[in-house]
Amino acid sequence: MTGQNTRDRGSHTPSVAWSQRMIRNLLYGRNVDRAAKARVRVGLVIIAFGLIYAVIAARLVMFAAFPDDRGGHRTASQDAIATARPDIVDRNGQILATDVKAPSLFGEPRRIIDRDEAVELLTATLPDLETAEVRQRLGTRKGFVWLKREITPSQQKEIHNLGIPGIGFLRENKRVYPSGREVAHLIGLVNIDNQGIAGMEKWLDSNGLADLHRAGFATDRLQKPVELSVDLRVEHALRDELVKAKEHYHAKAASGLVSNVRTGEIVAMVSLPDFDPNNPKEAHDPDRINRLTTGVYEMGSTFKAFTLAMALDSGKYDLNSMWDARAPLHFGRFTIHDDHALGRFINMKEVFTYSSNIGAARIALAMGVEAHKAFLRKLGQMDRLRTELPESAAPILPRQWGELSTVTIAYGHGIAVAPLQAVMGIDALVNGGWLIPPTFLKRSEADAMKLAKRVIKKETSDKMRFLLRLNAEVGTARKADVKGYYVGGKTGTAEKVIHGRYAKKRVLNAFTAILPADNPQYQLLIMLDEPQPLKETHGFITSGWNAVPTGGKVIARIAPLLGVQPRFDLPPSERLILAASRTAQ
């Protein structure tokens, strides 16, 4: 046994110890000369120093690439916080929102040598930093804490020059909005982590962007711009005129919207007061809501367009049907009056151009409550309107809808809808009878027709275009009849409900216009909240004295931008619209 173990050890020993024996022999062997030993020793020293220098060089390269080794790793995680977002552009490619890189200040409490000195220096350089908060954050044992997000390059330079150990910077994505307030309510904004919290920014997150970020695929290079339907030029003109109107008529608020009646695209949308998305604090003011999608209002006499369309589309009545407007309409304990009382029977055209409450009420009563409800539901006025914008409100309907509700809703009281909802319904009345869901994304007519539902006959749509144009020729919309653009329109003056009662001196005015009325391409909505009487309005506060002239100024500016060619010496609506409609039939 002993001899066998000795052989086993002898068979393994040469392979294991061969290199060691060779080095040992070279260094210390008695049969090796001194010169050979010296060369080996010098070679080993060179190899050892070479390895040391190689390690040092590798570390220098790493520090050059990543000033802070741990900061390099943190950059990767930071991308998941301040997310990269795609550019948002208008329909002509103008940038509405984009990402830029901005430095943010952080601390590494474990590396802080003198916390008091660090706090004193930082708060002296950045006075808006809370001393107690900075001291508390740097007093933890954490490896990383944020001290201030999104500082300026000059602030970064000042702090860098202080040379405080444990204080550093990371470059983050910061969202900026070059057009500022112009498209504030439409585009929304993001939070400090670049995540959408309102408007189209929030829609982006809820439609795949947040999932892409979680999966790590949403890098700066992979994201294509999001193309909206809005035209920044039209948006600017609309906002500019609304700002002037709000100031001129001393109104509490003003809003406006331009839609493409053939595609449902929203070309411009403004709600004042607005905010600067570059300054998110302003957006939290409750007075700065988007009144066109979040607010719901009684739209006043603009709703008469629905009432008359209902009757005309039924085939039971035509434009010459007569209605008794000789005296106020008594209904229960309520009495319905006309602002422009004619004291006689009036036809359908006069109901519209004189904006007769009595006439509209009698038309709705003749059609019946259920037919009235069914028609408004078909026009999308009874259900909450959903668009890309997350901010939306459901309409307010009567709890018990009887004949009295039908009477008041016929002329725009007793039901409150989002203005964008009303715009969608008017679009259907004038575009040939197609209800098209509105969108804030660019859309072709072919794509729109895939979503469209026919809600009224084409001949009914022709008659509605005639009525709207007639109202601009001889009715309450005359002050918006911009020469060359063949405008059609309907006014609405709704008394506001204050403490449960209608207040005659506090009104919400609306004006909806189409252009051109013989072949509509666009609809414009103007709304003024509580405009005040002026000397030039002879003390009146109704829509025809403020919202309508404002609409006319907007049309004069936006029609050329929208490519609507001016035409002159056009015949009246009776010949240009009705005659053409009869010929086509």
Side-chain angles (χ1 to χ4, degrees):
M1 283 297 289
T2 304
Q4 182 66 38
N5 288 341
T6 303
R7 282 195 299 275
D8 289 345
R9 287 196 297 271
S11 63
H12 289 291
T13 301
S15 61
V16 172
W18 175 82
S19 59
Q20 294 177 0
R21 286 208 314 273
M22 184 186 75
I23 294 173
R24 191 179 302 123
N25 288 336
L26 287 170
L27 292 175
Y28 309 110
R30 294 180 179 177
N31 299 328
V32 180
D33 62 62
R34 293 172 63 87
K37 290 179 181 178
R39 286 197 297 273
V40 171
R41 289 170 177 169
V42 170
L44 290 174
V45 170
I46 291 173
I47 291 171
F49 275 96
L51 288 173
I52 292 171
Y53 283 121
V55 170
I56 293 173
R59 292 292 291 172
L60 288 174
V61 170
M62 289 180 63
F63 281 125
F66 306 104
D68 182 337
D69 173 66
R70 280 171 291 181
H73 295 296
R74 196 175 298 116
T75 301
S77 64
Q78 182 59 23
D79 287 340
I81 300 172
T83 55
R85 305 181 66 81
D87 287 350
I88 299 178
V89 300
D90 82 339
R91 63 185 305 111
N92 301 312
Q94 294 294 315
I95 290 181
L96 305 177
T98 189
D99 278 355
V100 297
K101 296 292 183 183
S104 287
L105 178 68
F106 70 88
E108 295 176 291
R110 295 174 189 167
R111 296 182 58 196
I112 297 292
I113 298 172
D114 187 334
R115 186 181 60 165
D116 291 337
E117 182 187 32
V119 172
E120 185 178 341
L121 291 173
L122 288 174
T123 53
T125 308
L126 301 175
D128 56 333
L129 282 179
E130 291 288 340
T131 303
E133 185 177 350
V134 175
R135 187 183 301 281
Q136 184 270 329
R137 291 190 179 192
L138 294 182
T140 65
R141 296 299 301 163
K142 294 180 179 178
F144 175 90
V145 292
W146 283 121
L147 295 176
K148 184 171 173 58
R149 309 283 288 276
E150 298 175 3
I151 61 176
T152 66
S154 61
Q155 290 172 327
Q156 180 187 20
K157 185 177 180 181
E158 284 185 62
I159 297 172
H160 175 77
N161 291 339
L162 296 174
I164 309 172
I167 298 297
F169 309 93
L170 284 179
R171 286 169 61 79
E172 290 196 280
N173 289 303
K174 179 185 178 183
R175 200 63 160 169
V176 295
Y177 303 91
S179 51
R181 299 174 183 272
E182 298 281 0
V183 289
H185 284 294
L186 188 154
I187 205 160
L189 72 164
V190 299
N191 62 14
I192 191 70
D193 294 326
N194 237 22
Q195 296 164 339
I197 56 174
M200 293 303 294
E201 292 281 28
K202 187 173 183 179
W203 176 82
L204 276 177
D205 280 62
S206 60
N207 279 268
L209 182 60
D211 293 334
L212 282 177
H213 282 131
R214 281 191 286 271
F217 294 135
T219 65
D220 294 358
R221 289 174 298 170
L222 293 179
Q223 301 187 66
K224 294 181 180 177
V226 177
E227 198 170 27
L228 302 188
S229 56
V230 65
D231 185 323
L232 189 56
R233 303 168 304 165
V234 179
E235 183 83 9
H236 172 76
L238 175 62
R239 184 177 182 277
D240 188 47
E241 292 298 336
L242 285 173
V243 168
K244 293 176 184 173
K246 179 175 178 292
E247 182 178 347
H248 184 71
Y249 298 108
H250 309 293
K252 286 180 61 178
S255 53
L257 191 150
V258 179
S259 74
N260 184 320
V261 304
R262 300 172 182 172
T263 64
E265 293 173 291
I266 304 305
V267 181
M269 184 174 77
V270 174
S271 179
L272 302 173
D274 53 17
F275 60 92
D276 185 351
N278 296 301
N279 181 15
K281 291 180 180 177
E282 291 185 3
H284 300 306
D285 186 338
D287 194 39
R288 298 170 195 262
I289 65 166
N290 183 351
R291 287 168 164 76
L292 297 159
T293 61
T294 307
V296 291
Y297 307 96
E298 294 183 345
M299 297 298 291
S301 293
T302 56
F303 245 57
K304 286 173 183 159
F306 296 135
T307 306
L308 269 68
M310 171 178 62
L312 294 171
D313 203 56
S314 71
K316 298 177 182 175
Y317 307 98
D318 59 29
L319 292 171
N320 296 315
S321 297
M322 302 298 289
W323 304 93
D324 185 359
R326 291 174 296 172
L329 174 64
H330 299 283
F331 203 90
R333 59 189 178 90
F334 298 95
T335 302
I336 313 302
H337 298 273
D338 276 346
D339 289 339
H340 310 281
L342 297 176
R344 58 177 172 81
F345 278 85
I346 56 176
N347 61 29
M348 201 76 90
K349 292 174 280 189
E350 291 171 315
V351 170
F352 200 75
T353 55
Y354 286 98
S355 200
S356 169
N357 293 339
I358 299 171
R362 290 196 183 281
I363 292 170
L365 282 173
M367 292 297 298
V369 172
E370 294 308 316
H372 193 198
K373 290 164 68 174
F375 188 80
L376 292 180
R377 185 176 300 282
K378 189 167 61 172
L379 268 289
Q381 304 303 303
M382 303 276 280
D383 302 302
R384 187 173 192 163
L385 176 62
R386 301 287 187 181
T387 65
E388 292 86 3
L389 290 192
E391 300 85 14
S392 69
I396 300 175
L397 309 175
R399 290 183 180 178
Q400 293 184 333
W401 190 321
E403 286 193 329
L404 179 59
S405 294
T406 277
V407 165
T408 58
I409 290 171
Y411 54 84
H413 285 271
I415 184 173
V417 302
L420 177 59
Q421 200 163 8
V423 165
M424 175 182 68
I426 298 293
D427 279 353
L429 298 189
V430 301
N431 69 4
W434 299 98
L435 187 72
I436 302 172
T439 182
F440 293 89
L441 299 174
K442 205 169 181 180
R443 177 198 278 166
S444 67
E445 283 191 45
D447 288 338
M449 290 311 294
K450 294 175 185 173
L451 305 170
K453 291 190 296 185
R454 179 169 285 286
V455 288
I456 60 170
K457 302 166 190 168
K458 182 181 180 305
E459 51 267 35
T460 305
S461 179
D462 293 340
K463 291 170 183 172
M464 292 310 302
R465 290 190 288 108
F466 160 73
L467 287 175
L468 287 163
R469 174 57 195 169
L470 185 65
N471 201 36
E473 290 175 355
V474 300
T476 53
R478 293 191 301 276
K479 292 183 185 297
D481 188 16
V482 181
K483 193 170 179 59
Y485 291 111
Y486 213 66
V487 177
K490 183 71 189 84
T491 54
T493 301
E495 295 172 0
K496 296 175 70 173
V497 178
I498 308 295
H499 305 306
R501 301 176 65 88
Y502 283 109
K504 289 189 175 297
K505 300 297 182 184
R506 300 173 69 175
V507 297
L508 179 72
N509 287 349
F511 172 58
T512 184
I514 58 170
L515 70 152
D518 58 323
N519 185 23
Q521 297 178 45
Y522 298 98
Q523 180 188 171
L524 166 69
L525 174 71
I526 297 291
M527 296 183 70
L528 296 177
D529 189 357
E530 295 191 22
Q532 300 303 306
L534 302 177
K535 186 177 179 181
E536 68 187 55
T537 68
H538 309 287
F540 293 109
I541 55 173
T542 49
S543 173
W545 292 98
N546 40 60
V548 173
T550 301
K553 292 176 182 175
V554 173
I555 290 169
R557 289 183 63 173
I558 69 173
L561 299 174
L562 292 169
V564 180
Q565 297 297 320
R567 298 170 296 165
F568 300 97
D569 301 324
L570 292 172
S573 55
E574 189 83 34
R575 282 190 284 150
L576 188 61
I577 301 176
L578 274 194
S581 177
R582 293 191 195 102
T583 302
Q585 294 169 27

